[in-house]
Amino acid sequence: MLFKKDISKELKNEAVSLGLCTEWTNEWGNPTKEELVDKYVQGIDFCIEHNYPSCEYMKKHFDGVMQKHGVFVDEEIDLKNAPIVIANGKTSGKIVYNSYSVGTIYTRHDSDLTIEVSGNAFVAIETYDNCNVSVFQRNKAKVFVYNHGGNIQTSGKVVVKNRKAPN
């Protein structure tokens, strides 16, 4: 149990040093590894902005737990209708959405994903860093890509919105 507390304390101290807001700092508590992964997902904007925690740290301390929450680091994935996917490091693979499924995908670092969206599915994709994303839209599916960085290839009716910071 002490091991989990040390990880939590270590992550909290690092987050505070990166500028974690008072509200999140005060509500940190004594989370389990599962709850820490939930915090990562809920605070994904902060985590992406600060590249926190590192891929190495996540792999070392959360492998086997993070995947249950849609978080992947340096893995080969093959997913269907996942509500949330956060692809870090060199994660690669395929994600399929169909029927009336809804999903949100964050693809970062050097991830390489193929995303197929069909039926009446709705998917939002956030791209960062040097990722490669190939998006295929069919039927009445709605797909929005928010491009913060990376390489995007599309087929079908895919709306791409540039979010890159001006140089």
Side-chain angles (χ1 to χ4, degrees), residues 27-40:
E27 292 177 5
W28 192 274
N30 186 23
T32 64
K33 281 189 176 185
E34 296 272 344
E35 291 167 334
L36 286 168
V37 176
D38 282 341
K39 284 183 185 298
Y40 174 79

Side-chain angles (χ1 to χ4, degrees), residues 10-21 25 28 46 52:
E10 198 171 82
L11 286 171
K12 180 181 178 183
N13 289 342
E14 184 180 351
V16 168
S17 75
L18 293 170
L20 186 67
C21 71
T25 302
W28 192 274
F46 175 88
Y52 158 86

Side-chain angles (χ1 to χ4, degrees), residues 37-69:
V37 176
D38 282 341
K39 284 183 185 298
Y40 174 79
V41 172
Q42 291 169 9
I44 192 64
D45 292 335
F46 175 88
C47 294
I48 289 171
E49 181 181 345
H50 298 285
N51 201 26
Y52 158 86
S54 70
C55 288
E56 296 79 16
Y57 193 92
M58 287 191 287
K59 196 79 171 157
K60 179 178 178 182
H61 296 290
F62 296 96
D63 198 28
V65 175
M66 64 185 171
Q67 294 86 349
K68 297 173 194 170
H69 300 265

Side-chain angles (χ1 to χ4, degrees), residues 95-159:
I95 309 169
V96 175
Y97 293 90
N98 59 18
S99 190
Y100 287 90
S101 60
V102 176
T104 303
I105 301 168
Y106 296 85
T107 180
R108 309 177 54 210
H109 305 120
D110 297 310
S111 293
D112 189 354
L113 299 178
T114 299
I115 303 162
E116 297 178 4
V117 188
S118 63
N120 290 292
F122 180 91
V123 177
I125 304 163
E126 304 262 355
T127 63
Y128 297 88
D129 309 314
N130 299 312
C131 70
N132 288 298
V133 179
S134 298
V135 184
F136 299 89
Q137 178 276 344
R138 293 188 301 277
N139 311 115
K140 295 179 181 179
K142 301 229 184 292
V143 184
F144 293 88
V145 178
Y146 301 96
N147 179 17
H148 303 268
N151 303 301
I152 303 163
Q153 296 83 40
T154 65
S155 175
K157 295 179 182 178
V158 177
V159 177

